[in-house]
Amino acid sequence: MKLFGTDGVRGEAGSFLSAEVAMRVAMAAGIYLKGQAVTNRILVGKDTRRSGYMIENAIVCGLTAIGYDVIEVGPMPTPAIAFITENMRCDAGIMISASHNSFEDNGIKFFDGKGDKFPSEIEQEIENIYFNAEKIEEAQVTGKAIGKAKRIDDVIGRYIVQLKNSFPTNLTLQGTRIVLDTANGAAYKVGPTVLEELGAEVIVLHDKPDGFNINEGCGALHTKDLQNAVVKYRADLGIALDGDADRLVVVDEKGEMVDGDQLLGALGVHLHREGVLKGKGIVATVMSNQGLEDYMSENGLKLWRSNVGDKHVLEIMKKEGINFGGEQSGHVIMSDYAKTGDGLVSALQVLALLLSQKKKASELLRPFSLYPQKLVNINVKVKKPLPEIEGLKEKLVELDKLHIRHLVRYSGTENKLRVLLEAKEGKVMNSEMDKLIEFFQKALNA
């Protein structure tokens, strides 16, 4: 069994991600961290899923059993856990969330003492320890060496201050009307609070989590309610977060959704013109539209591309000395203010752009045209290695000849194959996509 996917350990709670697995993963991570422990404290937060109770207790059990002290902070956004881990001088942070997935799933994400996500190499080391029964048994302690756990409920204030510090002090949201959809998730308290404290009039949607309604017909994946509310209340902007608030989707004042790549382009060039963009470019993923790359080039900037996953975006940002990047899906990283994708930090930067330019979202947030692009998710029974799929290589060569950019990869968190095609001619691209879907359905679900 492979534990780690694109973003931590994720799967159906109670089956793949059972209490036993959660406890053992926590123990394996704790064993890895022991050699470099400074404070012997690990922070644990979660989103609003019912299964978070089970997994949280299992993690606390595993960590205290090997001698770690645990600080539990309850429902908090993923970026808040990254920030508070460093702010409270913990050796590591753990976030219990399956992000945008429905309530049946849950996940475990790890941050080091500086608030950075564990790289793939460390995840592999933890996985190796997980499967080493002897190491797990030897690490367990007795007597006074057993760790303790305590819950702290007031750390939300630290994160709110951090968010407000990311917003320009010469601007105010006074007179701005915003519709915010918190997806019944981790930001249902902090999101409205920070916007209201900065002066905005906030209409809040889906802020009553019951353990099962996280992401259900709402949030960043389901924006219909938000779009309708923006028009109904004549709002200046609509903001949708996902379940753990590490990504956002923006809706303009006309109720129309803004493409994630266009948002990255608008923010990137704005930061460049303000003189605060570092590294002469931005980082996006292989999924991002060619139109974004062209727009960066037109403005004298470079687009670096990473593998899918915000931790991979951040790796290149660090390597190239860049402070802005993200994914078209809504993960936006502004490393001057956050160590990972942060939907609220990003939303505040969008608002700062609109206020500083004194223009409407529909005018500013679509600064270039997109190439026709199509992404299809195909349910698969088995994730057969792509090089072993007979005939696939030839199919991809045909696409190259037609000048169709392609990306084929398995989801790191679900039994799905993701197929992305992009070309100047949408009709040709759609025709080729139909052929590819039929090909994969036969090859992987026969």
Side-chain angles (χ1 to χ4, degrees):
M1 183 177 74
K2 180 168 173 56
L3 290 174
F4 287 91
T6 308
D7 193 14
V9 179
R10 190 183 299 184
E12 185 178 23
S15 66
F16 173 81
L17 188 50
S18 64
E20 181 183 1
V21 168
M23 181 178 72
R24 198 175 178 94
V25 169
M27 293 175 81
I31 291 166
Y32 169 78
L33 290 163
K34 272 292 182 183
Q36 51 204 312
V38 177
T39 63
N40 204 53
R41 293 197 304 263
I42 293 181
L43 187 83
V44 178
K46 60 183 179 180
D47 64 23
T48 56
R49 293 162 214 265
R50 173 69 64 86
S51 59
Y53 291 105
M54 171 189 75
I55 295 167
E56 180 182 35
N57 286 324
I59 287 172
V60 171
C61 181
L63 292 173
T64 54
I66 62 170
Y68 258 106
D69 294 337
V70 182
I71 298 172
E72 299 169 84
V73 296
M76 290 286 283
T78 289
I81 298 306
F83 166 71
I84 297 166
T85 295
E86 181 178 31
N87 187 259
M88 294 189 69
R89 309 296 192 270
C90 295
D91 289 331
I94 297 175
M95 177 64 181
I96 303 164
S97 175
S99 193
H100 59 276
N101 290 26
S102 60
F103 84 90
E104 295 92 348
D105 291 341
N106 217 325
I108 303 172
K109 305 178 188 184
F110 293 95
F111 298 92
D112 65 20
K114 294 182 178 178
D116 293 320
K117 284 185 178 178
F118 283 0
S120 302
E121 305 80 52
I122 292 178
E123 290 180 340
Q124 187 58 59
E125 288 192 47
I126 293 171
E127 199 162 305
N128 293 340
I129 296 169
Y130 177 95
F131 290 110
N132 189 327
E134 190 175 336
K135 266 194 174 182
I136 294 285
E137 189 174 344
E138 287 175 353
Q140 296 178 51
V141 298
T142 60
K144 292 183 179 180
I146 294 173
K148 63 181 184 294
K150 66 176 178 178
R151 182 173 293 277
I152 301 178
D153 296 319
D154 61 354
V155 293
I156 190 172
R158 299 182 186 219
Y159 181 52
I160 288 172
V161 170
Q162 172 71 0
L163 289 171
K164 289 165 71 175
N165 285 341
S166 74
F167 190 71
T169 54
N170 63 318
L171 298 175
T172 176
L173 294 181
Q174 201 74 38
T176 304
R177 182 178 293 170
I178 300 167
V179 181
L180 174 67
D181 184 344
T182 68
N184 292 313
Y188 76 101
K189 288 182 180 179
V190 67
T193 301
V194 73
L195 291 171
E196 287 169 357
E197 287 191 10
L198 287 169
E201 177 189 350
V202 186
I203 294 118
V204 189
L205 308 179
H206 305 294
D207 62 336
K208 295 176 176 59
D210 62 9
F212 308 114
N213 59 2
I214 188 170
N215 300 314
E216 185 181 13
C218 59
L221 264 66
H222 308 283
T223 59
K224 186 177 178 180
D225 286 356
L226 176 65
Q227 291 173 276
N228 290 338
V230 167
V231 175
K232 178 182 176 180
Y233 294 106
R234 298 179 183 177
D236 298 296
L237 197 71
I239 299 165
L241 306 172
D242 67 340
D244 67 337
D246 66 348
R247 63 192 273 190
L248 90 158
V249 167
V250 171
V251 170
D252 69 21
E253 81 285 354
K254 296 179 180 179
E256 296 176 4
M257 201 164 72
V258 177
D259 179 84
D261 281 330
Q262 290 180 319
L263 189 68
L264 286 174
L267 281 173
V269 170
H270 169 67
L271 294 172
H272 173 59
R273 289 171 180 165
E274 291 289 306
V276 294
L277 185 70
K278 300 172 186 173
K280 298 181 180 178
I282 73 171
V283 182
T285 74
V286 289
M287 302 283 284
S288 278
N289 197 281
Q290 183 63 35
L292 174 60
E293 190 165 345
D294 293 346
Y295 182 62
M296 289 296 105
S297 181
E298 289 167 12
N299 285 276
L301 300 170
K302 182 176 178 180
L303 177 72
W304 279 264
R305 289 184 184 266
S306 74
N307 290 330
V308 175
D310 61 347
K311 71 178 180 181
H312 299 299
V313 172
L314 191 57
E315 283 172 8
I316 293 183
M317 287 172 63
K318 288 179 178 177
K319 181 182 176 184
E320 301 294 338
I322 295 168
N323 62 343
F324 179 75
E327 300 184 273
Q328 63 177 178
S329 60
H331 288 120
V332 181
I333 304 173
M334 310 196 75
S335 60
D336 289 348
Y337 308 114
K339 297 296 184 77
T340 184
D342 190 323
L344 289 169
V345 164
S346 306
L348 290 175
Q349 296 308 308
V350 172
L351 288 162
L353 165 59
L354 301 182
L355 291 168
S356 63
Q357 296 293 314
K358 298 179 181 177
K359 291 183 179 179
K360 295 181 178 180
S362 60
E363 298 176 70
L364 285 175
L365 300 183
R366 296 183 184 86
F368 61 90
S369 297
L370 297 163
Y371 282 35
Q373 188 185 79
K374 191 169 187 177
L375 173 65
V376 174
N377 294 312
I378 303 170
N379 292 320
V380 298
K381 294 177 181 176
V382 180
K383 292 182 178 180
K384 185 177 182 179
L386 296 177
E388 296 179 15
I389 299 176
E390 190 174 342
L392 177 57
K393 185 178 179 181
E394 291 74 15
K395 287 277 183 187
L396 299 182
V397 169
E398 287 177 26
L399 293 176
D400 289 333
K401 289 178 181 177
L402 293 168
H403 303 289
I404 297 176
R405 193 169 76 88
H406 52 81
L407 180 66
V408 179
R409 69 177 187 91
Y410 288 111
S411 165
T413 58
E414 302 170 274
N415 278 347
K416 291 182 179 180
L417 179 72
R418 305 200 195 283
V419 182
L420 174 77
L421 295 185
E422 180 185 278
K424 288 186 176 181
E425 294 293 331
K427 189 174 180 181
V428 175
M429 179 196 68
N430 286 327
S431 174
E432 292 302 315
M433 179 64 86
D434 291 341
K435 294 176 188 176
L436 264 185
I437 292 170
E438 185 179 355
F439 169 78
F440 281 121
Q441 284 175 338
K442 287 180 180 177
L444 297 173
N445 293 317

